[in-house]
Amino acid sequence: MDVLLKILQIVFSIIVVSLSAYGLITRDYQLNFLTILFLGLFMLTLGIKEFQRESKFYGWLLIGVFLFSVFVSIQGFLYRPS
């Protein structure tokens, strides 16, 4: 389980950095909702790792950040300009 979380963290962080770099270089910010979604998934993996370390406060905090970022990502997808 630990190795899987580490792989997911690396994959999600590479996706976030790639999407952010793409947005900065091209000045095309239409994919920001995906960046926020993958950043939230990264926070979810961090929260699960904190629960495994018996650190409940930071685990719940990171889960809350994950839920908020998924909400913001869905809002950004639904209400993006054409």
Side-chain angles (χ1 to χ4, degrees):
M1 181 83 172
D2 239 8
V3 175
L4 180 64
L5 284 176
K6 191 64 150 174
I7 292 171
L8 284 174
Q9 277 183 338
I10 293 170
V11 168
F12 290 148
S13 62
I14 289 172
I15 291 171
V16 167
V17 169
S18 300
L19 286 172
S20 299
Y22 172 78
L24 285 172
I25 292 169
T26 63
R27 297 191 189 271
D28 180 17
Y29 303 111
Q30 291 182 356
L31 298 177
N32 270 355
F33 70 95
L34 285 176
T35 305
I36 294 171
L37 176 67
F38 284 111
L39 192 59
L41 291 171
F42 178 73
M43 293 295 163
L44 177 65
T45 59
L46 287 177
I48 292 171
K49 282 183 83 168
E50 289 298 320
F51 275 120
Q52 288 177 345
R53 291 183 188 167
E54 301 292 326
S55 178
K56 303 282 186 194
F57 176 74
Y58 288 116
W60 283 115
L61 180 69
L62 289 166
I63 298 293
V65 170
F66 158 71
L67 291 172
F68 180 71
S69 66
V70 167
F71 173 75
V72 169
S73 177
I74 291 171
Q75 292 292 319
F77 176 70
L78 293 177
Y79 298 114
R80 62 181 176 184
S82 299

XYZ file of all heavy atoms in Angstrom:
674
model
N 0.830 -1.201 0.000
C 0.000 0.000 0.000
C 0.871 1.260 0.000
O 0.539 2.241 -0.623
C -0.924 -0.046 1.219
C -1.851 1.118 1.313
S -3.286 0.855 0.303
C -4.275 2.220 0.800
N 1.976 1.196 0.729
C 2.860 2.359 0.802
C 3.490 2.682 -0.549
O 3.617 3.848 -0.911
C 3.964 2.093 1.828
C 3.961 3.102 2.943
O 3.020 3.908 3.006
O 4.906 3.079 3.742
N 3.865 1.643 -1.283
C 4.494 1.847 -2.587
C 3.486 2.423 -3.567
O 3.803 3.318 -4.356
C 5.087 0.515 -3.105
C 5.633 0.678 -4.505
C 6.142 -0.004 -2.154
N 2.245 1.934 -3.503
C 1.197 2.437 -4.391
C 0.921 3.922 -4.133
O 0.774 4.707 -5.081
C -0.088 1.626 -4.218
C -1.270 2.048 -5.079
C -0.955 1.858 -6.546
C -2.507 1.280 -4.686
N 0.868 4.315 -2.860
C 0.654 5.725 -2.540
C 1.808 6.587 -3.034
O 1.597 7.699 -3.525
C 0.468 5.902 -1.036
C -0.885 5.495 -0.481
C -0.889 5.626 1.040
C -1.996 6.324 -1.081
N 3.015 6.087 -2.910
C 4.190 6.836 -3.373
C 4.144 7.013 -4.895
O 4.419 8.100 -5.407
C 5.462 6.099 -2.954
C 6.694 6.902 -3.153
C 6.683 8.113 -2.282
C 8.073 8.503 -1.906
N 8.108 9.752 -1.178
N 3.765 5.954 -5.608
C 3.655 6.040 -7.070
C 2.568 7.026 -7.461
O 2.746 7.852 -8.371
C 3.407 4.647 -7.670
C 4.639 3.775 -7.498
C 3.019 4.738 -9.140
C 4.437 2.317 -7.849
N 1.420 6.956 -6.781
C 0.325 7.893 -7.075
C 0.731 9.332 -6.791
O 0.388 10.242 -7.557
C -0.922 7.522 -6.271
C -1.705 6.321 -6.770
C -2.827 5.988 -5.802
C -2.253 6.571 -8.158
N 1.456 9.560 -5.706
C 1.939 10.911 -5.406
C 2.829 11.430 -6.517
O 2.698 12.579 -6.942
C 2.721 10.918 -4.095
C 1.886 11.004 -2.875
C 2.753 11.073 -1.626
O 3.923 10.657 -1.645
N 2.193 11.585 -0.563
N 3.735 10.606 -6.987
C 4.643 11.026 -8.047
C 3.880 11.311 -9.334
O 4.101 12.327 -10.000
C 5.743 9.971 -8.255
C 6.655 9.921 -7.036
C 6.545 10.249 -9.520
C 7.618 8.756 -7.021
N 2.942 10.426 -9.691
C 2.165 10.608 -10.915
C 1.326 11.879 -10.840
O 1.317 12.692 -11.776
C 1.282 9.364 -11.186
C 0.265 9.637 -12.273
C 2.146 8.179 -11.546
N 0.617 12.066 -9.718
C -0.225 13.260 -9.587
C 0.612 14.536 -9.580
O 0.220 15.550 -10.164
C -1.089 13.186 -8.323
C -2.172 12.157 -8.386
C -2.584 11.491 -7.249
C -2.795 11.828 -9.577
C -3.585 10.545 -7.296
C -3.794 10.872 -9.649
C -4.189 10.229 -8.492
N 1.768 14.513 -8.944
C 2.597 15.720 -8.918
C 3.157 16.034 -10.306
O 3.238 17.211 -10.680
C 3.719 15.578 -7.893
O 4.574 14.514 -8.235
N 3.524 15.019 -11.073
C 4.006 15.256 -12.436
C 2.893 15.842 -13.298
O 3.121 16.777 -14.085
C 4.571 13.960 -13.046
C 5.889 13.604 -12.372
C 4.754 14.090 -14.548
C 6.429 12.244 -12.753
N 1.675 15.324 -13.144
C 0.542 15.849 -13.911
C 0.274 17.301 -13.540
O 0.052 18.145 -14.418
C -0.710 14.972 -13.701
C -0.515 13.608 -14.345
C -1.955 15.650 -14.269
C -1.598 12.605 -14.016
N 0.300 17.619 -12.249
C 0.038 18.999 -11.802
C 1.101 19.952 -12.325
O 0.781 21.030 -12.839
C -0.063 19.060 -10.255
C -0.004 20.483 -9.759
C -1.329 18.379 -9.783
N 2.354 19.562 -12.221
C 3.437 20.431 -12.707
C 3.339 20.601 -14.219
O 3.528 21.713 -14.742
C 4.812 19.877 -12.275
C 5.940 20.593 -12.975
C 4.962 19.975 -10.775
N 3.018 19.542 -14.930
C 2.905 19.626 -16.386
C 1.757 20.539 -16.810
O 1.922 21.387 -17.701
C 2.687 18.239 -16.982
O 3.749 17.398 -16.685
N 0.595 20.371 -16.194
C -0.546 21.224 -16.538
C -0.291 22.680 -16.155
O -0.674 23.599 -16.893
C -1.814 20.709 -15.860
C -2.435 19.448 -16.443
C -3.556 18.947 -15.545
C -2.945 19.699 -17.840
N 0.365 22.888 -15.035
C 0.686 24.261 -14.619
C 1.687 24.906 -15.568
O 1.530 26.082 -15.938
C 1.252 24.263 -13.197
O 0.312 23.756 -12.297
N 2.691 24.164 -15.948
C 3.678 24.698 -16.896
C 3.029 24.998 -18.242
O 3.319 26.029 -18.863
C 4.828 23.716 -17.065
N 2.152 24.106 -18.702
C 1.440 24.344 -19.953
C 0.630 25.632 -19.883
O 0.649 26.446 -20.817
C 0.526 23.158 -20.269
C -0.385 23.409 -21.441
C 0.090 23.321 -22.739
C -1.716 23.745 -21.248
C -0.741 23.563 -23.821
C -2.558 23.987 -22.319
C -2.067 23.889 -23.605
O -2.899 24.138 -24.661
N -0.076 25.829 -18.782
C -0.870 27.048 -18.622
C -0.018 28.298 -18.576
O -0.388 29.332 -19.137
N 1.124 28.216 -17.908
C 1.998 29.387 -17.818
C 2.671 29.705 -19.151
O 2.829 30.875 -19.506
C 3.056 29.164 -16.743
C 2.572 29.281 -15.310
C 3.676 28.855 -14.356
C 2.118 30.683 -15.012
N 3.080 28.690 -19.862
C 3.782 28.920 -21.124
C 2.833 29.422 -22.203
O 3.137 30.377 -22.917
C 4.502 27.632 -21.581
C 5.653 27.330 -20.619
C 5.014 27.749 -23.007
C 6.273 25.959 -20.806
N 1.662 28.796 -22.328
C 0.730 29.154 -23.407
C -0.263 30.237 -23.003
O -0.965 30.761 -23.865
C -0.062 27.921 -23.862
O -0.858 27.450 -22.782
C 0.864 26.835 -24.359
N -0.321 30.556 -21.736
C -1.307 31.506 -21.190
C -2.735 31.071 -21.516
O -3.627 31.884 -21.688
C -1.046 32.918 -21.676
C 0.286 33.466 -21.231
C 0.397 34.943 -21.510
N 1.747 35.403 -21.276
C 2.179 35.836 -20.097
N 1.384 35.828 -19.070
N 3.416 36.257 -19.966
N -2.939 29.758 -21.594
C -4.250 29.165 -21.827
C -4.671 28.488 -20.521
O -4.153 27.438 -20.166
C -4.177 28.137 -22.960
C -5.513 27.490 -23.241
O -6.544 28.038 -22.820
O -5.510 26.420 -23.882
N -5.616 29.102 -19.818
C -5.978 28.640 -18.491
C -7.281 27.847 -18.484
O -7.933 27.736 -17.459
C -6.082 29.832 -17.541
C -4.804 30.626 -17.486
C -4.738 31.907 -18.023
C -3.657 30.098 -16.928
C -3.561 32.634 -17.989
C -2.481 30.811 -16.884
C -2.440 32.083 -17.416
O -1.278 32.788 -17.369
N -7.650 27.269 -19.596
C -8.887 26.504 -19.658
C -8.768 25.148 -18.971
O -9.778 24.520 -18.680
C -9.320 26.312 -21.113
C -9.778 27.583 -21.760
C -10.254 27.342 -23.182
O -10.156 26.233 -23.689
N -10.777 28.380 -23.805
N -7.573 24.702 -18.713
C -7.377 23.407 -18.056
C -7.099 23.529 -16.565
O -6.658 22.566 -15.938
C -6.247 22.638 -18.740
C -6.462 22.290 -20.205
C -5.240 21.590 -20.762
C -7.693 21.417 -20.360
N -7.357 24.697 -15.999
C -7.098 24.888 -14.574
C -7.938 23.968 -13.709
O -7.508 23.566 -12.632
C -7.337 26.339 -14.169
C -6.099 27.169 -14.304
O -5.029 26.660 -14.616
N -6.240 28.461 -14.083
N -9.145 23.618 -14.161
C -9.985 22.728 -13.362
C -9.331 21.352 -13.228
O -9.446 20.703 -12.180
C -11.399 22.631 -13.937
C -11.501 21.878 -15.243
C -11.822 20.533 -15.244
C -11.278 22.514 -16.449
C -11.922 19.840 -16.432
C -11.387 21.831 -17.639
C -11.704 20.487 -17.634
N -8.608 20.915 -14.265
C -7.892 19.641 -14.170
C -6.697 19.743 -13.225
O -6.405 18.812 -12.481
C -7.416 19.191 -15.550
C -8.476 18.626 -16.478
C -7.867 18.323 -17.839
C -9.089 17.389 -15.882
N -6.025 20.878 -13.260
C -4.904 21.090 -12.351
C -5.374 21.030 -10.911
O -4.756 20.370 -10.068
C -4.239 22.451 -12.634
O -3.866 22.511 -14.008
C -3.022 22.657 -11.766
N -6.490 21.684 -10.622
C -7.036 21.689 -9.265
C -7.499 20.290 -8.870
O -7.306 19.856 -7.727
C -8.173 22.718 -9.154
C -7.609 24.121 -9.345
C -8.891 22.599 -7.825
C -8.660 25.193 -9.477
N -8.095 19.550 -9.807
C -8.545 18.194 -9.515
C -7.366 17.291 -9.160
O -7.397 16.582 -8.141
C -9.296 17.619 -10.708
C -9.731 16.163 -10.572
C -10.789 16.022 -9.496
C -10.225 15.634 -11.896
N -6.312 17.318 -9.958
C -5.159 16.464 -9.679
C -4.400 16.925 -8.437
O -3.824 16.099 -7.723
C -4.239 16.377 -10.892
C -4.777 15.489 -11.966
C -5.207 16.009 -13.176
C -4.882 14.126 -11.764
C -5.707 15.193 -14.162
C -5.382 13.293 -12.745
C -5.802 13.832 -13.947
N -4.412 18.220 -8.165
C -3.814 18.698 -6.916
C -4.603 18.185 -5.726
O -4.037 17.806 -4.696
C -3.755 20.224 -6.919
C -2.928 20.888 -5.841
C -1.487 20.419 -5.914
C -3.006 22.384 -5.979
N -5.929 18.137 -5.858
C -6.756 17.570 -4.802
C -6.501 16.086 -4.606
O -6.449 15.595 -3.469
N -6.328 15.353 -5.699
C -6.009 13.929 -5.580
C -4.650 13.718 -4.921
O -4.465 12.773 -4.141
C -6.052 13.274 -6.959
C -7.444 13.153 -7.581
C -7.333 12.702 -9.032
C -8.306 12.209 -6.782
N -3.724 14.610 -5.201
C -2.425 14.566 -4.526
C -2.604 14.783 -3.026
O -1.999 14.095 -2.202
C -1.494 15.617 -5.136
C -0.148 15.695 -4.481
C 0.785 14.698 -4.684
C 0.178 16.765 -3.678
C 2.032 14.768 -4.088
C 1.412 16.843 -3.080
C 2.346 15.842 -3.276
N -3.457 15.735 -2.652
C -3.727 15.980 -1.240
C -4.403 14.778 -0.580
O -4.176 14.486 0.591
C -4.609 17.220 -1.067
C -3.955 18.495 -1.454
S -2.581 18.857 -0.366
C -1.731 20.066 -1.315
N -5.240 14.068 -1.339
C -5.872 12.862 -0.811
C -4.829 11.802 -0.474
O -4.895 11.168 0.591
C -6.883 12.307 -1.811
C -7.578 11.004 -1.422
C -8.439 11.210 -0.194
C -8.395 10.482 -2.579
N -3.864 11.604 -1.354
C -2.815 10.623 -1.061
C -1.981 11.048 0.156
O -1.612 10.201 0.977
C -1.894 10.415 -2.271
O -1.300 11.645 -2.642
C -2.659 9.822 -3.434
N -1.731 12.350 0.283
C -1.022 12.827 1.474
C -1.849 12.592 2.736
O -1.316 12.224 3.784
C -0.693 14.310 1.339
C 0.410 14.703 0.367
C 0.552 16.219 0.318
C 1.707 14.060 0.731
N -3.166 12.815 2.645
C -4.042 12.593 3.789
C -4.079 11.138 4.206
O -4.054 10.824 5.403
N -4.109 10.229 3.252
C -4.098 8.797 3.575
C -2.787 8.410 4.251
O -2.779 7.649 5.226
C -4.348 7.967 2.296
C -5.774 8.185 1.807
C -4.093 6.491 2.551
C -6.061 7.599 0.445
N -1.687 8.972 3.763
C -0.395 8.687 4.405
C -0.350 9.219 5.833
O 0.222 8.584 6.720
C 0.749 9.283 3.584
C 1.091 8.455 2.366
C 2.259 9.026 1.629
C 3.520 8.558 2.297
N 4.721 8.830 1.497
N -0.964 10.370 6.069
C -0.995 10.916 7.427
C -1.846 10.049 8.351
O -1.518 9.885 9.522
C -1.512 12.360 7.424
C -0.547 13.354 6.838
C 0.756 13.438 7.604
O 0.751 13.393 8.852
O 1.817 13.543 6.950
N -2.935 9.491 7.841
C -3.727 8.567 8.646
C -2.923 7.313 8.982
O -3.041 6.777 10.079
C -5.019 8.174 7.930
C -6.140 9.151 8.133
C -6.718 9.786 7.051
C -6.625 9.435 9.393
C -7.740 10.688 7.226
C -7.648 10.334 9.582
C -8.209 10.958 8.494
N -2.107 6.846 8.055
C -1.262 5.684 8.328
C -0.206 5.994 9.378
O 0.202 5.113 10.122
C -0.581 5.205 7.048
C -1.516 4.534 6.081
C -0.821 4.132 4.790
O 0.286 4.582 4.498
N -1.487 3.307 4.007
N 0.210 7.247 9.454
C 1.197 7.661 10.456
C 0.545 7.990 11.800
O 1.223 8.469 12.709
C 1.952 8.896 9.990
C 2.872 8.672 8.845
C 3.607 9.945 8.540
N 4.376 9.811 7.315
C 4.912 10.820 6.676
N 4.770 12.041 7.140
N 5.588 10.611 5.575
N -0.768 7.786 11.901
C -1.539 8.060 13.127
C -1.634 9.555 13.426
O -1.798 9.950 14.574
C -0.941 7.326 14.338
C -0.877 5.834 14.176
C -2.242 5.170 14.159
O -3.142 5.669 14.860
O -2.401 4.180 13.427
N -1.510 10.396 12.428
C -1.674 11.835 12.595
C -3.053 12.222 12.073
O -3.225 12.543 10.894
C -0.579 12.583 11.831
O -0.757 13.969 11.954
N -4.044 12.151 12.965
C -5.439 12.332 12.558
C -5.751 13.768 12.133
O -6.493 13.985 11.179
C -6.386 11.941 13.700
C -6.209 10.535 14.188
C -6.844 9.573 13.253
C -6.760 8.182 13.853
N -7.031 7.153 12.937
N -5.194 14.746 12.830
C -5.529 16.138 12.521
C -5.119 16.495 11.090
O -5.926 17.018 10.318
C -4.849 17.087 13.513
C -5.080 18.533 13.185
C -6.302 19.122 13.418
C -4.069 19.294 12.611
C -6.528 20.455 13.098
C -4.277 20.619 12.287
C -5.511 21.206 12.540
N -3.876 16.223 10.733
C -3.413 16.551 9.384
C -4.090 15.678 8.330
O -4.312 16.114 7.208
C -1.894 16.443 9.283
C -1.185 17.552 10.014
C -0.373 17.290 11.107
C -1.351 18.876 9.630
C 0.261 18.302 11.794
C -0.728 19.899 10.303
C 0.072 19.601 11.387
O 0.682 20.621 12.054
N -4.420 14.452 8.702
C -5.158 13.592 7.785
C -6.511 14.179 7.441
O -6.892 14.271 6.272
N -7.260 14.593 8.469
C -8.575 15.199 8.216
C -8.454 16.536 7.498
O -9.295 16.872 6.656
C -9.359 15.371 9.515
C -9.944 14.086 10.008
C -9.625 13.425 11.149
C -10.937 13.287 9.348
N -10.353 12.267 11.235
C -11.175 12.159 10.156
C -11.654 13.409 8.156
C -12.091 11.181 9.807
C -12.558 12.427 7.818
C -12.779 11.332 8.629
N -7.425 17.303 7.831
C -7.213 18.581 7.160
C -6.964 18.369 5.664
O -7.566 19.051 4.818
C -6.030 19.322 7.785
C -5.692 20.677 7.188
C -6.791 21.679 7.505
C -4.366 21.169 7.707
N -6.144 17.414 5.319
C -5.843 17.145 3.914
C -7.044 16.547 3.188
O -7.267 16.838 2.006
C -4.625 16.232 3.799
C -3.300 16.907 4.168
C -2.206 15.875 4.364
C -2.910 17.917 3.123
N -7.841 15.742 3.872
C -9.070 15.219 3.270
C -10.037 16.367 3.001
O -10.710 16.409 1.961
C -9.717 14.153 4.176
C -8.789 12.959 4.362
C -11.068 13.711 3.633
C -8.544 12.135 3.137
N -10.117 17.321 3.928
C -10.962 18.501 3.715
C -10.498 19.329 2.533
O -11.308 19.804 1.731
N -9.194 19.503 2.391
C -8.643 20.233 1.246
C -8.969 19.491 -0.046
O -9.315 20.107 -1.061
C -7.121 20.438 1.411
C -6.495 20.959 0.135
C -6.835 21.365 2.574
N -8.882 18.153 -0.013
C -9.234 17.347 -1.180
C -10.691 17.572 -1.576
O -10.995 17.803 -2.753
C -8.977 15.864 -0.879
C -9.755 14.926 -1.760
C -9.432 14.785 -3.099
C -10.813 14.198 -1.255
C -10.152 13.922 -3.914
C -11.531 13.337 -2.054
C -11.207 13.197 -3.388
N -11.602 17.512 -0.611
C -13.020 17.688 -0.916
C -13.308 19.081 -1.469
O -14.073 19.239 -2.431
C -13.865 17.425 0.327
C -13.893 15.973 0.797
C -14.595 15.862 2.144
C -14.547 15.091 -0.242
N -12.683 20.095 -0.881
C -12.878 21.454 -1.366
C -12.336 21.616 -2.783
O -12.985 22.241 -3.633
C -12.213 22.458 -0.422
C -12.364 23.882 -0.865
C -13.586 24.509 -0.789
C -11.281 24.578 -1.379
C -13.738 25.825 -1.198
C -11.416 25.886 -1.796
C -12.656 26.516 -1.705
N -11.177 21.047 -3.060
C -10.604 21.202 -4.398
C -11.413 20.438 -5.447
O -11.531 20.902 -6.583
C -9.144 20.755 -4.415
O -9.051 19.378 -4.177
N -11.991 19.302 -5.082
C -12.856 18.587 -6.028
C -14.103 19.416 -6.310
O -14.553 19.526 -7.457
C -13.215 17.182 -5.488
C -14.340 16.559 -6.288
C -11.995 16.291 -5.521
N -14.659 20.042 -5.279
C -15.814 20.916 -5.461
C -15.478 22.081 -6.389
O -16.236 22.385 -7.321
C -16.300 21.437 -4.099
C -17.369 22.466 -4.189
C -18.668 22.104 -4.505
C -17.081 23.809 -3.960
C -19.664 23.069 -4.593
C -18.069 24.759 -4.045
C -19.367 24.387 -4.362
N -14.346 22.726 -6.166
C -13.920 23.852 -7.004
C -13.654 23.389 -8.432
O -14.008 24.076 -9.394
C -12.673 24.537 -6.394
C -12.057 25.528 -7.357
C -13.037 25.211 -5.090
N -13.075 22.217 -8.584
C -12.796 21.691 -9.916
C -14.088 21.412 -10.680
O -14.189 21.724 -11.872
C -11.964 20.413 -9.799
O -11.749 19.846 -11.059
N -15.073 20.836 -10.005
C -16.360 20.571 -10.663
C -17.043 21.879 -11.035
O -17.599 22.009 -12.131
C -17.252 19.699 -9.756
C -16.664 18.291 -9.662
C -18.677 19.640 -10.283
C -17.326 17.414 -8.633
N -16.992 22.864 -10.148
C -17.567 24.171 -10.458
C -16.852 24.810 -11.651
O -17.501 25.403 -12.520
C -17.479 25.098 -9.243
C -18.361 24.697 -8.094
C -19.815 24.871 -8.430
O -20.223 25.838 -9.049
N -20.622 23.894 -8.034
N -15.556 24.689 -11.701
C -14.801 25.238 -12.822
C -15.110 24.545 -14.125
O -15.144 25.176 -15.189
N -15.383 23.248 -14.067
C -15.750 22.510 -15.276
C -17.144 22.883 -15.757
O -17.374 23.059 -16.949
C -15.684 21.009 -15.006
C -16.135 20.171 -16.164
C -15.378 20.076 -17.312
C -17.343 19.498 -16.114
C -15.793 19.324 -18.395
C -17.765 18.734 -17.177
C -17.002 18.647 -18.322
N -18.069 23.043 -14.831
C -19.462 23.325 -15.216
C -19.659 24.753 -15.688
O -20.486 25.009 -16.559
C -20.396 23.034 -14.040
C -20.523 21.576 -13.633
C -21.420 21.443 -12.402
C -21.061 20.746 -14.782
N -18.933 25.702 -15.114
C -19.171 27.109 -15.395
C -18.032 27.778 -16.135
O -17.806 28.971 -15.999
C -19.433 27.861 -14.090
C -20.653 27.359 -13.370
C -20.540 26.731 -12.146
C -21.909 27.491 -13.943
C -21.665 26.253 -11.490
C -23.035 27.018 -13.301
C -22.895 26.396 -12.067
O -24.007 25.925 -11.444
N -17.305 27.046 -16.944
C -16.211 27.674 -17.679
C -16.785 28.365 -18.922
O -17.760 27.896 -19.536
C -15.142 26.680 -18.059
C -15.605 25.595 -18.970
C -14.498 24.640 -19.283
N -15.085 23.580 -20.092
C -14.469 22.533 -20.492
N -13.224 22.380 -20.180
N -15.065 21.641 -21.231
N -16.188 29.486 -19.308
C -16.690 30.212 -20.487
C -16.403 29.451 -21.771
O -15.411 28.743 -21.888
C -15.929 31.533 -20.456
C -14.760 31.304 -19.568
C -15.101 30.169 -18.648
N -17.280 29.618 -22.734
C -17.136 28.891 -24.008
C -16.094 29.516 -24.898
O -15.889 30.656 -24.997
C -18.446 28.888 -24.751
O -19.422 28.242 -23.968
